[in-house]
Every structure is written in C-alpha cells, then in structure tokens.
Short mmCIF file of all heavy atoms in Angstrom, two decimals:
data_model
loop_
_atom_site.label_atom_id
_atom_site.label_comp_id
_atom_site.label_asym_id
_atom_site.label_seq_id
_atom_site.Cartn_x
_atom_site.Cartn_y
_atom_site.Cartn_z
N MET A 1 0.83 -1.20 0.00
CA MET A 1 0.00 0.00 0.00
C MET A 1 0.87 1.26 0.00
O MET A 1 0.75 2.11 -0.85
CB MET A 1 -0.91 -0.01 1.22
CG MET A 1 -2.00 1.04 1.16
SD MET A 1 -3.15 0.86 -0.21
CE MET A 1 -4.71 1.09 0.60
N GLU A 2 1.80 1.33 0.93
CA GLU A 2 2.64 2.52 1.00
C GLU A 2 3.44 2.74 -0.27
O GLU A 2 3.59 3.86 -0.74
CB GLU A 2 3.60 2.41 2.18
CG GLU A 2 3.12 3.20 3.40
CD GLU A 2 4.07 3.08 4.55
OE1 GLU A 2 5.28 3.03 4.29
OE2 GLU A 2 3.62 3.02 5.70
N GLU A 3 3.92 1.66 -0.83
CA GLU A 3 4.73 1.81 -2.04
C GLU A 3 3.92 2.36 -3.19
O GLU A 3 4.40 3.13 -3.99
CB GLU A 3 5.35 0.46 -2.42
CG GLU A 3 6.63 0.21 -1.67
CD GLU A 3 7.34 -1.03 -2.17
OE1 GLU A 3 7.08 -1.43 -3.31
OE2 GLU A 3 8.14 -1.57 -1.41
N GLU A 4 2.65 1.96 -3.26
CA GLU A 4 1.81 2.46 -4.33
C GLU A 4 1.60 3.96 -4.20
O GLU A 4 1.46 4.66 -5.20
CB GLU A 4 0.45 1.76 -4.30
CG GLU A 4 0.48 0.40 -4.97
CD GLU A 4 -0.86 -0.29 -4.90
OE1 GLU A 4 -1.88 0.41 -4.88
OE2 GLU A 4 -0.87 -1.52 -4.86
N GLU A 5 1.55 4.44 -2.97
CA GLU A 5 1.29 5.86 -2.77
C GLU A 5 2.55 6.69 -2.91
O GLU A 5 2.49 7.90 -3.00
CB GLU A 5 0.69 6.09 -1.39
CG GLU A 5 -0.72 5.52 -1.27
CD GLU A 5 -1.23 5.58 0.15
OE1 GLU A 5 -0.50 6.10 1.02
OE2 GLU A 5 -2.34 5.09 0.38
N MET A 6 3.68 6.05 -2.89
CA MET A 6 4.94 6.79 -2.92
C MET A 6 5.16 7.44 -4.29
O MET A 6 5.09 6.78 -5.31
CB MET A 6 6.09 5.82 -2.63
CG MET A 6 7.36 6.52 -2.25
SD MET A 6 8.68 5.31 -2.00
CE MET A 6 9.04 4.82 -3.66
N ARG A 7 5.44 8.73 -4.26
CA ARG A 7 5.72 9.41 -5.53
C ARG A 7 7.19 9.28 -5.84
O ARG A 7 8.04 9.22 -4.96
CB ARG A 7 5.32 10.88 -5.43
CG ARG A 7 3.84 11.07 -5.32
CD ARG A 7 3.48 12.51 -5.41
NE ARG A 7 4.07 13.28 -4.31
CZ ARG A 7 4.10 14.62 -4.27
NH1 ARG A 7 3.60 15.31 -5.25
NH2 ARG A 7 4.63 15.24 -3.25
N LYS A 8 7.49 9.27 -7.11
CA LYS A 8 8.87 9.12 -7.53
C LYS A 8 9.38 10.39 -8.19
O LYS A 8 8.74 10.93 -9.09
CB LYS A 8 8.98 7.96 -8.52
CG LYS A 8 8.69 6.62 -7.87
CD LYS A 8 8.94 5.48 -8.81
CE LYS A 8 8.82 4.17 -8.04
NZ LYS A 8 8.44 3.05 -8.86
N PRO A 9 10.55 10.85 -7.75
CA PRO A 9 11.12 12.02 -8.40
C PRO A 9 11.80 11.64 -9.71
O PRO A 9 12.20 10.49 -9.91
CB PRO A 9 12.14 12.52 -7.38
CG PRO A 9 12.54 11.31 -6.63
CD PRO A 9 11.36 10.37 -6.63
N TRP A 10 11.92 12.60 -10.56
CA TRP A 10 12.50 12.39 -11.88
C TRP A 10 13.30 13.63 -12.26
O TRP A 10 12.89 14.75 -11.98
CB TRP A 10 11.39 12.13 -12.91
CG TRP A 10 11.84 12.11 -14.32
CD1 TRP A 10 12.47 11.09 -14.98
CD2 TRP A 10 11.68 13.15 -15.30
NE1 TRP A 10 12.70 11.44 -16.29
CE2 TRP A 10 12.24 12.69 -16.52
CE3 TRP A 10 11.12 14.44 -15.25
CZ2 TRP A 10 12.26 13.47 -17.68
CZ3 TRP A 10 11.14 15.21 -16.40
CH2 TRP A 10 11.69 14.73 -17.59
N VAL A 11 14.47 13.43 -12.85
CA VAL A 11 15.32 14.55 -13.28
C VAL A 11 15.26 14.72 -14.79
O VAL A 11 15.50 13.76 -15.53
CB VAL A 11 16.79 14.32 -12.86
CG1 VAL A 11 17.68 15.46 -13.38
CG2 VAL A 11 16.92 14.22 -11.34
N ASP A 12 14.92 15.91 -15.23
CA ASP A 12 14.97 16.23 -16.66
C ASP A 12 16.44 16.51 -17.01
O ASP A 12 16.96 17.59 -16.76
CB ASP A 12 14.10 17.45 -16.95
CG ASP A 12 14.15 17.85 -18.42
OD1 ASP A 12 14.93 17.23 -19.18
OD2 ASP A 12 13.41 18.77 -18.79
N GLN A 13 17.10 15.52 -17.54
CA GLN A 13 18.54 15.64 -17.75
C GLN A 13 18.90 16.62 -18.85
O GLN A 13 20.03 17.09 -18.92
CB GLN A 13 19.14 14.26 -18.03
CG GLN A 13 19.02 13.35 -16.81
CD GLN A 13 19.87 12.10 -16.92
OE1 GLN A 13 20.19 11.64 -18.00
NE2 GLN A 13 20.25 11.56 -15.78
N ASP A 14 17.97 16.95 -19.71
CA ASP A 14 18.24 17.98 -20.72
C ASP A 14 18.40 19.34 -20.06
O ASP A 14 19.12 20.21 -20.56
CB ASP A 14 17.10 18.04 -21.74
CG ASP A 14 17.09 16.82 -22.65
OD1 ASP A 14 18.16 16.20 -22.81
OD2 ASP A 14 16.02 16.50 -23.19
N ALA A 15 17.71 19.53 -18.94
CA ALA A 15 17.74 20.82 -18.26
C ALA A 15 18.79 20.87 -17.14
O ALA A 15 19.28 21.95 -16.82
CB ALA A 15 16.36 21.13 -17.69
N CYS A 16 19.13 19.75 -16.56
CA CYS A 16 20.08 19.70 -15.44
C CYS A 16 21.43 20.28 -15.87
O CYS A 16 21.94 19.95 -16.95
CB CYS A 16 20.26 18.25 -14.98
SG CYS A 16 21.57 18.03 -13.75
N ILE A 17 21.98 21.16 -15.03
CA ILE A 17 23.27 21.76 -15.32
C ILE A 17 24.39 21.12 -14.49
O ILE A 17 25.52 21.60 -14.46
CB ILE A 17 23.25 23.29 -15.08
CG1 ILE A 17 22.84 23.61 -13.65
CG2 ILE A 17 22.32 23.97 -16.09
CD1 ILE A 17 22.98 25.08 -13.27
N GLY A 18 24.04 20.06 -13.78
CA GLY A 18 25.05 19.32 -13.03
C GLY A 18 25.60 20.07 -11.85
O GLY A 18 26.75 19.84 -11.44
N CYS A 19 24.81 20.94 -11.24
CA CYS A 19 25.31 21.74 -10.12
C CYS A 19 25.61 20.87 -8.90
O CYS A 19 26.41 21.24 -8.06
CB CYS A 19 24.31 22.83 -9.76
SG CYS A 19 22.89 22.23 -8.86
N GLY A 20 24.93 19.74 -8.78
CA GLY A 20 25.24 18.79 -7.72
C GLY A 20 24.53 19.03 -6.41
O GLY A 20 24.74 18.29 -5.45
N LEU A 21 23.69 20.05 -6.33
CA LEU A 21 23.02 20.33 -5.05
C LEU A 21 22.16 19.16 -4.59
O LEU A 21 22.20 18.77 -3.43
CB LEU A 21 22.14 21.59 -5.19
CG LEU A 21 22.85 22.93 -5.05
CD1 LEU A 21 21.87 24.07 -5.32
CD2 LEU A 21 23.47 23.08 -3.67
N CYS A 22 21.39 18.61 -5.50
CA CYS A 22 20.51 17.50 -5.11
C CYS A 22 21.33 16.29 -4.68
O CYS A 22 20.97 15.58 -3.75
CB CYS A 22 19.57 17.14 -6.25
SG CYS A 22 20.40 16.56 -7.75
N VAL A 23 22.44 16.07 -5.35
CA VAL A 23 23.31 14.93 -5.03
C VAL A 23 23.95 15.12 -3.66
O VAL A 23 24.04 14.18 -2.86
CB VAL A 23 24.38 14.77 -6.12
CG1 VAL A 23 25.33 13.63 -5.77
CG2 VAL A 23 23.73 14.52 -7.47
N ASN A 24 24.38 16.33 -3.37
CA ASN A 24 24.99 16.61 -2.08
C ASN A 24 23.97 16.53 -0.95
O ASN A 24 24.28 16.04 0.13
CB ASN A 24 25.63 18.01 -2.08
CG ASN A 24 26.91 18.04 -2.87
OD1 ASN A 24 27.59 17.02 -3.03
ND2 ASN A 24 27.26 19.20 -3.40
N ASN A 25 22.77 17.03 -1.20
CA ASN A 25 21.77 17.12 -0.14
C ASN A 25 21.05 15.81 0.11
O ASN A 25 20.69 15.50 1.25
CB ASN A 25 20.73 18.20 -0.48
CG ASN A 25 21.29 19.58 -0.32
OD1 ASN A 25 22.37 19.77 0.22
ND2 ASN A 25 20.56 20.56 -0.81
N VAL A 26 20.78 15.06 -0.95
CA VAL A 26 20.03 13.81 -0.81
C VAL A 26 20.75 12.70 -1.58
O VAL A 26 20.26 12.18 -2.58
CB VAL A 26 18.58 13.98 -1.33
CG1 VAL A 26 17.70 12.84 -0.79
CG2 VAL A 26 17.98 15.31 -0.94
N PRO A 27 21.92 12.31 -1.10
CA PRO A 27 22.71 11.31 -1.83
C PRO A 27 22.08 9.92 -1.81
O PRO A 27 22.52 9.04 -2.56
CB PRO A 27 24.06 11.32 -1.10
CG PRO A 27 23.75 11.84 0.26
CD PRO A 27 22.62 12.82 0.08
N GLU A 28 21.06 9.73 -0.95
CA GLU A 28 20.38 8.44 -0.90
C GLU A 28 19.48 8.23 -2.11
O GLU A 28 19.04 7.11 -2.38
CB GLU A 28 19.53 8.33 0.38
CG GLU A 28 20.30 8.54 1.67
CD GLU A 28 20.44 10.01 2.05
OE1 GLU A 28 19.94 10.87 1.32
OE2 GLU A 28 21.10 10.29 3.07
N VAL A 29 19.18 9.33 -2.80
CA VAL A 29 18.22 9.26 -3.92
C VAL A 29 18.89 9.65 -5.26
O VAL A 29 18.68 9.01 -6.28
CB VAL A 29 17.02 10.21 -3.67
CG1 VAL A 29 16.11 10.28 -4.89
CG2 VAL A 29 16.24 9.74 -2.43
N PHE A 30 19.69 10.71 -5.21
CA PHE A 30 20.26 11.25 -6.44
C PHE A 30 21.76 10.95 -6.54
O PHE A 30 22.47 10.89 -5.54
CB PHE A 30 20.08 12.78 -6.48
CG PHE A 30 18.65 13.22 -6.43
CD1 PHE A 30 18.06 13.54 -5.22
CD2 PHE A 30 17.89 13.31 -7.59
CE1 PHE A 30 16.72 13.94 -5.16
CE2 PHE A 30 16.56 13.71 -7.54
CZ PHE A 30 15.98 14.03 -6.32
N ARG A 31 22.22 10.79 -7.76
CA ARG A 31 23.65 10.68 -8.00
C ARG A 31 23.94 11.32 -9.36
O ARG A 31 23.04 11.50 -10.19
CB ARG A 31 24.11 9.22 -8.01
CG ARG A 31 23.55 8.41 -9.16
CD ARG A 31 23.95 6.96 -9.06
NE ARG A 31 23.27 6.16 -10.07
CZ ARG A 31 23.16 4.83 -10.04
NH1 ARG A 31 23.71 4.15 -9.05
NH2 ARG A 31 22.52 4.19 -10.99
N LEU A 32 25.20 11.65 -9.56
CA LEU A 32 25.58 12.19 -10.85
C LEU A 32 25.89 11.03 -11.79
O LEU A 32 26.67 10.14 -11.47
CB LEU A 32 26.80 13.11 -10.73
CG LEU A 32 26.53 14.52 -10.20
CD1 LEU A 32 27.81 15.34 -10.18
CD2 LEU A 32 25.47 15.26 -11.03
N ALA A 33 25.29 11.05 -12.95
CA ALA A 33 25.55 10.03 -13.95
C ALA A 33 26.84 10.39 -14.70
O ALA A 33 27.44 11.43 -14.47
CB ALA A 33 24.36 9.92 -14.90
N ASP A 34 27.25 9.52 -15.59
CA ASP A 34 28.53 9.68 -16.28
C ASP A 34 28.67 11.04 -16.96
O ASP A 34 29.73 11.63 -16.98
CB ASP A 34 28.70 8.58 -17.33
CG ASP A 34 28.89 7.23 -16.67
OD1 ASP A 34 29.24 7.22 -15.48
OD2 ASP A 34 28.68 6.22 -17.34
N HIS A 35 27.61 11.51 -17.53
CA HIS A 35 27.66 12.75 -18.29
C HIS A 35 27.42 13.97 -17.40
O HIS A 35 27.07 15.04 -17.89
CB HIS A 35 26.66 12.71 -19.44
CG HIS A 35 25.31 12.17 -19.03
ND1 HIS A 35 25.13 10.89 -18.55
CD2 HIS A 35 24.09 12.74 -19.01
CE1 HIS A 35 23.84 10.72 -18.27
NE2 HIS A 35 23.20 11.81 -18.53
N ASP A 36 27.62 13.80 -16.06
CA ASP A 36 27.49 14.90 -15.12
C ASP A 36 26.09 15.48 -15.04
O ASP A 36 25.93 16.68 -14.79
CB ASP A 36 28.50 16.01 -15.42
CG ASP A 36 29.76 15.82 -14.59
OD1 ASP A 36 29.82 14.84 -13.81
OD2 ASP A 36 30.69 16.64 -14.73
N LYS A 37 25.10 14.67 -15.26
CA LYS A 37 23.71 15.06 -15.04
C LYS A 37 23.20 14.20 -13.90
O LYS A 37 23.57 13.03 -13.78
CB LYS A 37 22.86 14.79 -16.27
CG LYS A 37 23.41 15.39 -17.55
CD LYS A 37 23.00 16.82 -17.71
CE LYS A 37 23.40 17.33 -19.09
NZ LYS A 37 22.98 18.71 -19.29
N ALA A 38 22.34 14.80 -13.08
CA ALA A 38 21.80 14.03 -11.96
C ALA A 38 20.81 12.99 -12.44
O ALA A 38 20.15 13.17 -13.47
CB ALA A 38 21.12 14.98 -10.98
N GLU A 39 20.73 11.90 -11.69
CA GLU A 39 19.71 10.90 -11.97
C GLU A 39 19.21 10.34 -10.65
O GLU A 39 19.89 10.40 -9.63
CB GLU A 39 20.27 9.77 -12.84
CG GLU A 39 21.31 8.92 -12.13
CD GLU A 39 21.85 7.79 -12.99
OE1 GLU A 39 21.49 7.72 -14.18
OE2 GLU A 39 22.63 6.98 -12.46
N VAL A 40 18.00 9.81 -10.69
CA VAL A 40 17.42 9.15 -9.53
C VAL A 40 17.81 7.68 -9.59
O VAL A 40 17.52 7.00 -10.57
CB VAL A 40 15.88 9.29 -9.54
CG1 VAL A 40 15.26 8.47 -8.41
CG2 VAL A 40 15.48 10.76 -9.41
N TYR A 41 18.50 7.20 -8.57
CA TYR A 41 18.84 5.78 -8.56
C TYR A 41 18.10 5.02 -7.48
O TYR A 41 18.06 3.79 -7.51
CB TYR A 41 20.35 5.58 -8.43
CG TYR A 41 20.92 5.87 -7.05
CD1 TYR A 41 21.17 4.83 -6.16
CD2 TYR A 41 21.20 7.16 -6.65
CE1 TYR A 41 21.69 5.09 -4.89
CE2 TYR A 41 21.71 7.42 -5.39
CZ TYR A 41 21.95 6.38 -4.52
OH TYR A 41 22.45 6.64 -3.27
N ASP A 42 17.53 5.72 -6.49
CA ASP A 42 16.71 5.07 -5.47
C ASP A 42 15.60 6.02 -5.03
O ASP A 42 15.78 6.83 -4.13
CB ASP A 42 17.57 4.67 -4.28
CG ASP A 42 16.77 3.88 -3.25
OD1 ASP A 42 15.57 3.62 -3.48
OD2 ASP A 42 17.36 3.53 -2.21
N ALA A 43 14.48 5.91 -5.71
CA ALA A 43 13.37 6.84 -5.44
C ALA A 43 12.88 6.75 -4.01
O ALA A 43 12.35 7.70 -3.46
CB ALA A 43 12.22 6.58 -6.41
N GLY A 44 13.04 5.60 -3.38
CA GLY A 44 12.55 5.41 -2.03
C GLY A 44 13.61 5.64 -0.96
O GLY A 44 13.44 5.29 0.19
N GLY A 45 14.73 6.26 -1.35
CA GLY A 45 15.85 6.41 -0.42
C GLY A 45 15.68 7.49 0.62
O GLY A 45 16.44 7.56 1.58
N ALA A 46 14.69 8.37 0.42
CA ALA A 46 14.47 9.46 1.38
C ALA A 46 12.98 9.77 1.43
O ALA A 46 12.22 9.41 0.52
CB ALA A 46 15.26 10.70 0.98
N TYR A 47 12.57 10.47 2.49
CA TYR A 47 11.18 10.88 2.60
C TYR A 47 10.84 11.89 1.51
O TYR A 47 11.69 12.67 1.08
CB TYR A 47 10.91 11.50 3.97
CG TYR A 47 10.95 10.51 5.11
CD1 TYR A 47 11.93 10.59 6.09
CD2 TYR A 47 9.99 9.50 5.18
CE1 TYR A 47 11.98 9.66 7.12
CE2 TYR A 47 10.03 8.58 6.23
CZ TYR A 47 11.02 8.67 7.19
OH TYR A 47 11.07 7.75 8.21
N GLU A 48 9.56 11.90 1.13
CA GLU A 48 9.12 12.84 0.11
C GLU A 48 9.40 14.28 0.51
O GLU A 48 9.79 15.10 -0.32
CB GLU A 48 7.62 12.67 -0.16
CG GLU A 48 7.31 11.42 -0.97
CD GLU A 48 5.85 11.33 -1.37
OE1 GLU A 48 5.13 12.34 -1.25
OE2 GLU A 48 5.43 10.26 -1.82
N ASP A 49 9.18 14.60 1.79
CA ASP A 49 9.43 15.97 2.25
C ASP A 49 10.88 16.36 2.06
O ASP A 49 11.19 17.49 1.68
CB ASP A 49 9.07 16.11 3.74
CG ASP A 49 7.57 16.17 3.95
OD1 ASP A 49 6.84 16.21 2.94
OD2 ASP A 49 7.14 16.17 5.12
N THR A 50 11.77 15.42 2.33
CA THR A 50 13.20 15.69 2.18
C THR A 50 13.54 15.93 0.71
O THR A 50 14.24 16.88 0.36
CB THR A 50 14.02 14.51 2.71
OG1 THR A 50 13.68 14.30 4.07
CG2 THR A 50 15.51 14.78 2.59
N ILE A 51 13.01 15.08 -0.14
CA ILE A 51 13.26 15.23 -1.57
C ILE A 51 12.71 16.58 -2.06
O ILE A 51 13.37 17.30 -2.83
CB ILE A 51 12.62 14.07 -2.36
CG1 ILE A 51 13.30 12.75 -1.99
CG2 ILE A 51 12.70 14.32 -3.85
CD1 ILE A 51 12.61 11.51 -2.53
N GLN A 52 11.53 16.91 -1.58
CA GLN A 52 10.92 18.18 -2.00
C GLN A 52 11.77 19.37 -1.56
O GLN A 52 12.10 20.25 -2.36
CB GLN A 52 9.51 18.29 -1.38
CG GLN A 52 8.78 19.58 -1.74
CD GLN A 52 8.35 19.62 -3.19
OE1 GLN A 52 7.74 18.68 -3.68
NE2 GLN A 52 8.69 20.69 -3.90
N GLN A 53 12.13 19.38 -0.27
CA GLN A 53 12.78 20.57 0.28
C GLN A 53 14.27 20.64 -0.03
O GLN A 53 14.81 21.73 -0.23
CB GLN A 53 12.57 20.58 1.81
CG GLN A 53 11.13 20.84 2.20
CD GLN A 53 10.82 20.40 3.62
OE1 GLN A 53 11.72 20.19 4.43
NE2 GLN A 53 9.54 20.26 3.92
N GLU A 54 14.93 19.50 -0.08
CA GLU A 54 16.38 19.49 -0.22
C GLU A 54 16.85 19.32 -1.66
O GLU A 54 18.04 19.43 -1.95
CB GLU A 54 16.98 18.37 0.64
CG GLU A 54 16.66 18.48 2.12
CD GLU A 54 17.24 19.73 2.74
OE1 GLU A 54 18.36 20.11 2.39
OE2 GLU A 54 16.55 20.34 3.58
N ALA A 55 15.92 19.01 -2.55
CA ALA A 55 16.31 18.82 -3.95
C ALA A 55 15.40 19.62 -4.88
O ALA A 55 15.85 20.55 -5.54
CB ALA A 55 16.28 17.34 -4.31
N ILE A 56 14.14 19.28 -4.91
CA ILE A 56 13.22 19.92 -5.87
C ILE A 56 13.18 21.43 -5.65
O ILE A 56 13.30 22.20 -6.61
CB ILE A 56 11.81 19.31 -5.75
CG1 ILE A 56 11.84 17.86 -6.24
CG2 ILE A 56 10.80 20.13 -6.55
CD1 ILE A 56 10.53 17.11 -6.10
N ASP A 57 13.02 21.86 -4.41
CA ASP A 57 12.86 23.29 -4.14
C ASP A 57 14.13 24.09 -4.38
O ASP A 57 14.06 25.31 -4.61
CB ASP A 57 12.39 23.52 -2.70
CG ASP A 57 10.94 23.11 -2.48
OD1 ASP A 57 10.25 22.80 -3.47
OD2 ASP A 57 10.52 23.10 -1.31
N ILE A 58 15.28 23.45 -4.32
CA ILE A 58 16.52 24.23 -4.41
C ILE A 58 17.27 24.03 -5.73
O ILE A 58 18.26 24.69 -5.98
CB ILE A 58 17.45 23.95 -3.21
CG1 ILE A 58 17.70 22.45 -3.03
CG2 ILE A 58 16.86 24.51 -1.91
CD1 ILE A 58 18.97 21.99 -3.68
N CYS A 59 16.79 23.16 -6.58
CA CYS A 59 17.45 23.00 -7.88
C CYS A 59 17.39 24.32 -8.64
O CYS A 59 16.31 24.86 -8.85
CB CYS A 59 16.76 21.89 -8.68
SG CYS A 59 17.43 21.76 -10.36
N PRO A 60 18.54 24.86 -9.05
CA PRO A 60 18.55 26.20 -9.66
C PRO A 60 17.82 26.27 -10.99
O PRO A 60 17.41 27.35 -11.41
CB PRO A 60 20.05 26.50 -9.84
CG PRO A 60 20.72 25.17 -9.80
CD PRO A 60 19.89 24.30 -8.90
N VAL A 61 17.65 25.14 -11.65
CA VAL A 61 16.93 25.18 -12.93
C VAL A 61 15.60 24.43 -12.86
O VAL A 61 14.96 24.17 -13.89
CB VAL A 61 17.81 24.63 -14.08
CG1 VAL A 61 18.99 25.54 -14.34
CG2 VAL A 61 18.29 23.22 -13.78
N SER A 62 15.19 24.09 -11.64
CA SER A 62 13.87 23.46 -11.42
C SER A 62 13.61 22.27 -12.35
O SER A 62 12.54 22.16 -12.94
CB SER A 62 12.75 24.50 -11.61
OG SER A 62 12.91 25.57 -10.72
N CYS A 63 14.61 21.42 -12.47
CA CYS A 63 14.45 20.32 -13.42
C CYS A 63 14.12 18.99 -12.74
O CYS A 63 14.12 17.95 -13.39
CB CYS A 63 15.70 20.18 -14.28
SG CYS A 63 17.15 19.61 -13.39
N ILE A 64 13.83 19.02 -11.42
CA ILE A 64 13.40 17.80 -10.74
C ILE A 64 11.90 17.88 -10.52
O ILE A 64 11.39 18.90 -10.03
CB ILE A 64 14.11 17.62 -9.38
CG1 ILE A 64 15.61 17.80 -9.54
CG2 ILE A 64 13.79 16.24 -8.81
CD1 ILE A 64 16.36 17.82 -8.21
N GLN A 65 11.22 16.85 -10.90
CA GLN A 65 9.76 16.83 -10.80
C GLN A 65 9.30 15.51 -10.20
O GLN A 65 10.04 14.55 -10.17
CB GLN A 65 9.13 16.96 -12.20
CG GLN A 65 9.51 18.22 -12.94
CD GLN A 65 9.46 18.03 -14.45
OE1 GLN A 65 8.80 17.13 -14.93
NE2 GLN A 65 10.18 18.87 -15.16
N TRP A 66 8.04 15.52 -9.77
CA TRP A 66 7.41 14.27 -9.34
C TRP A 66 6.76 13.60 -10.53
O TRP A 66 6.09 14.24 -11.33
CB TRP A 66 6.34 14.53 -8.28
CG TRP A 66 6.89 15.01 -6.98
CD1 TRP A 66 6.75 16.26 -6.44
CD2 TRP A 66 7.64 14.25 -6.02
NE1 TRP A 66 7.39 16.32 -5.22
CE2 TRP A 66 7.94 15.11 -4.94
CE3 TRP A 66 8.12 12.94 -5.98
CZ2 TRP A 66 8.67 14.70 -3.83
CZ3 TRP A 66 8.84 12.53 -4.86
CH2 TRP A 66 9.11 13.39 -3.81
N LEU A 67 6.95 12.30 -10.62
CA LEU A 67 6.21 11.53 -11.61
C LEU A 67 4.86 11.17 -11.00
O LEU A 67 4.78 10.79 -9.85
CB LEU A 67 6.95 10.23 -11.94
CG LEU A 67 8.24 10.35 -12.74
CD1 LEU A 67 8.86 8.97 -12.88
CD2 LEU A 67 7.96 10.95 -14.10
N ASP A 68 3.82 11.27 -11.78
CA ASP A 68 2.50 10.89 -11.26
C ASP A 68 2.17 9.46 -11.61
O ASP A 68 2.65 8.93 -12.57
CB ASP A 68 1.43 11.83 -11.81
CG ASP A 68 1.55 13.19 -11.14
OD1 ASP A 68 1.88 13.23 -9.94
OD2 ASP A 68 1.35 14.20 -11.84
FE1 LIG B 1 20.96 19.00 -11.71
FE2 LIG B 1 19.32 20.43 -10.31
FE3 LIG B 1 20.53 18.40 -9.22
S1 LIG B 1 20.78 21.19 -11.80
S2 LIG B 1 22.47 18.27 -10.28
S3 LIG B 1 19.09 18.31 -10.85
S4 LIG B 1 20.03 20.29 -8.21
#
C-alpha cells in the first residue's frame, strides 16, 4: 500500500546543469551520472518531504519533478 502511494522524483537531464546540489543534499536518492547530469537511482531512499525541500525546491533550474 505505502509503495503504491509513494511518488517518484525524476530529473529532466536535458535541463540539469550538473550543479550537484541534489546529489549533495540527498545522496540516498540522487547521483551524478557519467555525463554529469543528476539521476534518480533510489526513489525510495528518502522521505518525500526531504526530496521536496532538499532537492526539488533548491534546484537552480527546477528540473526535478514528481512523476504521477
Ligand atoms: Fe541538476 Fe538540479 Fe541536481 S541542476 S544536479 S538536478 S540540483
């Protein structure tokens, strides 16, 4: 049940500038891929509030979104 309700973050890698803020703040969820763009490798690695406040809200190009 909980897993079904869990939202998953997604990084628009075309827009990501590789600043690394999301990776530094929430390393349990985000990592830098080979081409220096962030990617989600464990969507369930942190609470939604943490992902929202420590990654989505502070990404300078607003390229992290929730998948519905
Ligand atoms: Fe990229 Fe934004 Fe993270 S620019 S590295 S997705 S904070």
Side-chain angles (χ1 to χ4, degrees):
M1 192 62 134
E2 260 180 36
E3 276 187 22
E4 279 179 30
E5 291 172 2
M6 197 182 73
R7 292 188 298 168
K8 293 186 172 154
W10 171 79
V11 177
D12 178 355
Q13 294 193 335
D14 289 336
C16 173
I17 57 172
C19 76
L21 278 176
C22 62
V23 177
N24 286 335
N25 286 349
V26 198
E28 303 85 0
V29 173
F30 300 94
R31 66 184 172 197
L32 282 182
D34 291 341
H35 45 298
D36 267 0
K37 308 275 188 178
E39 67 179 6
V40 174
Y41 73 98
D42 185 2
Y47 290 114
E48 286 187 13
D49 284 354
T50 302
I51 295 171
Q52 179 71 50
Q53 291 161 17
E54 301 296 322
I56 292 177
D57 288 352
I58 53 96
C59 174
V61 293
S62 301
C63 68
I64 311 172
Q65 301 153 21
W66 292 111
L67 289 176
D68 287 324

